Amino acid sequence: MTAARAFISLRLGRLQLRAGLWPTLATLALLPVLVGLGLWQLDRAGQKLRLQAEYDRRQQEPAVRLLSVLEHPEALRFRRVLARGRYEPEHQILIDNRVHRGQVGYHVLTPLRLEDGAVRVLVNRGWVALGQDRSVLPNIEVAKGIVDVVGLAVLPQTKGFRLGGAKPPGDGWQPVWQYLDLDVFQASVAYPVQPIVILLDPGSTGGFVRHWARLDAGITTHQGYAFQWFSLAVALAAIYILLNTRKTDHEENQEKEG
């Protein structure tokens, strides 16, 4: 590469870096992307660590009895809650594409009408298998009469990119949803709903398969991805330097004469 064609020409002691326009622009464009992806993965790992720390702290606090008064979601998040009322299967929803041990199924969310009023709270009663045919929904039992519910209060995750809406279009009640959006659910029913979901305790009756994942699950995966992105950034910079660095003409002449 001649000096006239070089976009960058730097003298580094006995070496000279000469690089063309397009390799330089490509490297400058890719490096921030790779570093940014690595930092994003580290941030995801940090978020999970902070959530787990908050979860552990709130588990030491006394359990909260839910009443027919709408609570602030942050006041209940990660708290153990107690609720007493009646299940209402009419507005039960099945969250599709939930996987347990490699098998696809649904999470069953059933509204519980709190005993002392008109407020409901959604209870995630666990996972059920899909079955052989999506057109036939699984037979899901719902306890009748007054029940006592014990579990963990969580906030549904509705942020991020989603394909399609939470609730499928159609007349009447649609029981199979792609994900839970509490705002959409609230707009679909005629009663107030607590702004949380209760993950039914694994030791409680009236539920299905319940293996709730820890909030810090996957941290090592995020850290591994971050290492990969940073490694690619280092490799890109090294390749750029190695391919475009040569000994100076003076040094080359000396070697030839020697």
Side-chain angles (χ1 to χ4, degrees), residues 1 5-8 17-31 236-237 239-241 243-244:
M1 182 181 299
R5 295 172 56 193
F7 178 69
I8 288 182
L17 174 67
R18 289 181 178 180
L21 173 63
W22 294 115
T24 301
L25 292 180
T27 301
L28 291 177
L30 285 174
L31 269 178
L236 176 63
I239 291 172
Y240 174 80
I241 293 173
L243 291 181
N244 296 287

Side-chain angles (χ1 to χ4, degrees), residues 139-174:
N139 184 23
I140 299 173
E141 297 181 357
V142 180
K144 297 180 180 180
I146 298 294
V147 296
D148 290 304
V149 170
V150 180
L152 176 71
V154 297
L155 309 185
Q157 299 295 320
T158 56
K159 296 181 179 180
F161 178 74
R162 302 277 191 175
L163 290 174
K167 179 183 179 182
D171 297 330
W173 184 255
Q174 302 296 320

